Amino acid sequence: MKVAIAEDLLMFRELIVKVCSRSGHEVVGDTWSGREIVDIARNAAPDAVIADIGLPELNGLAALQAIRSESPSIKVLVISFHLEPYLVHSLDRLPLDGYIDKRSELITAVPEALAAVAHSTRWFSPSYLQARQDLRHDCNSFVRLLSTWEQEILAMIGQEMPSAEISAKLKISRRTLEGHRSRIARKLSLAETSRLASYSRDQGFTLHAQQ
């Protein structure tokens, strides 16, 4: 397979390139940038793209969505340390072909993932599958308690956006926003609305904020 790689940590990027090459795959491009991986995918026409989430210039999820929208046949794989609940929830809703946990043995995980997607089979690290199962069975998770609209507000609160900016972006009044804050805190059984920001960050709402 022809593979393109986006990873901002040089050590990991070099390792992934080496593992791909040693397992018989052709690396047609590698970069630290989310915007550049989109260009590589457009110009080099890889069969698969492996991308981290926290990329500079354009986060990995946005880059992979752009690649998939332009070239639906390209297999897209996320590689990351992160398995926070909101990230798992977001990944579960996207047309991804797999997730590689950086904490796993990449020398075996990367070739296994590429071999699977080459045969149109999705591949996910066991840790991801466990995190997804835990989230689906958690009756107190934000997935069950909050609407998509409320989750969007919670993400912006976690990014510490000023109330005026959130209100303007959502086209609602400050008073309406405060009502949403109180309702979200109550649904999550948080004693104070001031705890919403830390909850948002702990659950991973801010991991793939647009860059």
Side-chain angles (χ1 to χ4, degrees):
M1 295 181 75
K2 295 193 297 181
V3 183
I5 299 160
E7 166 60 60
D8 60 325
L9 296 177
L10 180 59
M11 177 185 70
F12 277 102
R13 188 165 75 250
E14 290 179 340
L15 174 60
I16 298 166
V17 168
K18 187 177 295 186
V19 170
C20 288
S21 298
R22 285 182 176 177
S23 55
H25 302 286
E26 178 187 359
V27 178
V28 296
D30 65 275
T31 179
W32 55 272
S33 162
R35 294 194 187 283
E36 191 169 330
I37 193 62
V38 175
D39 291 335
I40 291 173
R42 184 181 297 126
N43 298 321
D47 300 303
V49 170
I50 300 174
D52 194 2
I53 294 167
L55 297 174
E57 300 186 337
L58 183 67
N59 73 66
L61 294 188
L64 290 174
Q65 286 179 287
I67 291 168
R68 177 51 64 84
S69 66
E70 289 187 18
S71 304
S73 63
I74 294 178
K75 306 299 183 182
V76 293
L77 293 161
V78 164
I79 184 166
S80 179
F81 285 116
H82 295 287
L83 283 170
E84 285 82 351
Y86 186 71
L87 178 61
V88 173
H89 176 57
S90 299
L91 291 175
D92 204 27
R93 294 182 295 168
L94 295 176
L96 301 178
D97 294 289
Y99 176 100
I100 301 169
D101 190 340
K102 282 184 181 178
R103 295 168 295 182
S104 64
E105 182 56 67
L106 296 184
I107 294 175
T108 55
V110 170
E112 285 180 10
L114 289 174
V117 300
H119 293 88
S120 298
T121 301
R122 302 172 79 199
W123 191 96
F124 295 92
S125 291
S127 54
Y128 174 87
L129 296 175
Q130 184 62 55
R132 184 173 66 180
Q133 181 177 330
D134 291 344
L135 181 62
R136 289 178 174 179
H137 289 84
D138 184 0
C139 296
N140 296 313
S141 74
F142 61 83
V143 177
R144 293 175 181 264
L145 299 176
L146 303 181
S147 66
T148 301
W149 172 262
E150 289 168 332
Q151 290 176 33
E152 183 179 352
I153 294 173
L154 187 56
M156 287 186 276
I157 292 173
Q159 294 167 42
E160 298 187 351
M161 292 174 59
S163 294
E165 186 177 346
I166 297 176
S167 299
K169 187 169 184 177
L170 297 178
K171 299 180 180 179
I172 59 176
S173 68
R174 288 281 295 275
R175 182 176 180 179
T176 299
L177 175 60
E178 292 309 311
H180 283 303
R181 284 180 184 268
S182 298
R183 187 157 46 253
I184 292 169
R186 186 167 60 252
K187 285 185 175 183
L188 296 174
S189 299
L190 299 178
E192 302 173 345
T193 57
S194 59
R195 296 180 59 187
L196 287 172
S198 60
Y199 176 92
S200 176
R201 290 189 294 270
D202 291 344
Q203 293 291 306
F205 277 79
T206 61
L207 283 175
H208 58 278
Q210 292 295 323
Q211 297 171 314

